[in-house]
Amino acid sequence: MSDAAQPTAAEVRAAAEAVKTALDRHLAAVERRSGEDDPAVSEAFNQLAAAAEAYDELLYDRFDEVTPFEIPSADEALPPYAGPEEPNAISVLIRRDYTVAEPQRLLAQAQRVEAAEYDAVDEDDAAGTVPGALGVLFGEFEPDEIASRHKEFGLEEGDSTLWVTAAEEPPEAGEWLEAPFEHIDPQQVVCRFDVSAVFDDEVSDDEDDIDFVDEDEEEEDGDGELEPVNAEK
């Protein structure tokens, strides 16, 4: 890394302060936790992990030093699998977070859906409010379609996670509908897949090693003359 690109000592100090703040928030969340799967504790954990990783990187870039912190991956955060060896049933649990980045676009899309269904849109209809518009759109489109077209609906993607759990037998119909996300045994989780901005830096580091071919480059023949690239190669 060049001297011009190195972080300043003040930036390293600010990152260290961010770790201290994240530690305090994590401890406070743990002290107030409402159960084993309290989302506030999970969020505080992720913030602490991100702050510690950022500090570690800046410390190394500036001073060529490292910390003893080790941030566990999602797989390492799960206990060892103790479910059935040959499960007869699985459950897929999905969480996707979005920011309502463009409320007017969201409302307009919901109003189009209502207009197509009812030939008219009343200002007092559900599509006239953000919660109502969300209900209309998620009632009309599959979650996967909304995920792939989120920008059309004025949404911005946040973190997401997918868990696959195993069981000996499928649950009875309607058994878990009142509380679908409670009583999940971590040892029954076969696998999980997470997407988070926390991991973006890792991807960026990998991309730095990729060599891109200039679109204007053409192959040269043995005489040094340019030879058109064969499109069938």
Side-chain angles (χ1 to χ4, degrees):
M1 179 179 291
S2 67
D3 292 338
Q6 283 185 344
T8 64
E11 289 174 326
V12 179
R13 172 63 61 182
E17 293 299 325
V19 173
K20 297 175 187 177
T21 300
L23 276 168
D24 290 337
R25 289 176 179 169
H26 182 259
L27 177 58
V30 171
E31 290 173 336
R32 297 193 304 266
R33 73 187 310 160
S34 58
E36 290 185 2
D37 299 320
D38 190 335
V41 175
S42 297
E43 181 179 0
F45 172 88
N46 291 333
Q47 291 175 350
L48 176 57
E53 185 174 24
Y55 172 64
D56 200 326
E57 290 179 356
L58 290 173
L59 185 71
Y60 182 81
D61 290 343
R62 177 66 186 181
F63 300 111
D64 200 25
E65 291 290 342
V66 296
T67 70
F69 303 147
E70 181 177 355
I71 309 303
S73 67
D75 290 337
E76 292 172 340
L78 289 173
Y81 175 70
E85 292 185 5
E86 298 183 5
N88 295 314
I90 65 168
S91 295
V92 180
L93 294 85
I94 300 175
R95 171 172 173 167
R96 295 186 177 121
D97 289 350
Y98 297 95
T99 300
V100 182
E102 300 180 72
Q104 293 306 317
R105 180 183 290 273
L106 177 74
L107 294 172
Q109 292 284 23
Q111 288 165 1
R112 289 192 187 98
V113 171
E114 280 204 335
E117 297 222 353
Y118 302 106
D119 299 325
V121 176
D122 190 327
E123 291 183 357
D124 295 330
D125 284 346
T129 66
V130 169
L134 289 169
V136 169
L137 292 174
F138 277 88
E140 177 69 15
F141 300 99
E142 293 290 333
D144 287 344
E145 184 171 4
I146 290 180
S148 64
R149 300 172 55 189
H150 62 278
K151 291 184 179 179
E152 296 179 36
F153 301 119
L155 302 175
E156 183 178 316
E157 286 183 313
D159 290 355
S160 66
T161 187
L162 182 151
W163 294 33
V164 179
T165 66
E168 292 283 3
E169 300 294 337
E172 296 292 335
E175 178 180 342
W176 49 258
L177 291 180
E178 291 186 2
F181 302 111
E182 291 184 3
H183 312 302
I184 301 302
D185 183 354
Q187 289 189 306
Q188 304 280 40
V189 176
V190 178
C191 57
R192 64 177 286 183
F193 304 94
D194 299 319
V195 176
S196 174
V198 173
F199 309 135
D200 286 350
D201 291 339
E202 298 176 8
V203 175
S204 298
D205 292 342
D206 292 340
E207 289 177 347
D208 290 342
D209 298 330
I210 299 175
D211 293 328
F212 292 95
V213 177
D214 191 335
E215 293 180 356
D216 296 330
E217 287 183 359
E218 293 178 320
E219 295 179 352
E220 292 188 8
D221 61 16
D223 298 329
E225 297 179 355
L226 294 177
E227 176 185 350
V229 176
N230 186 351
E232 296 181 355
K233 287 184 179 179

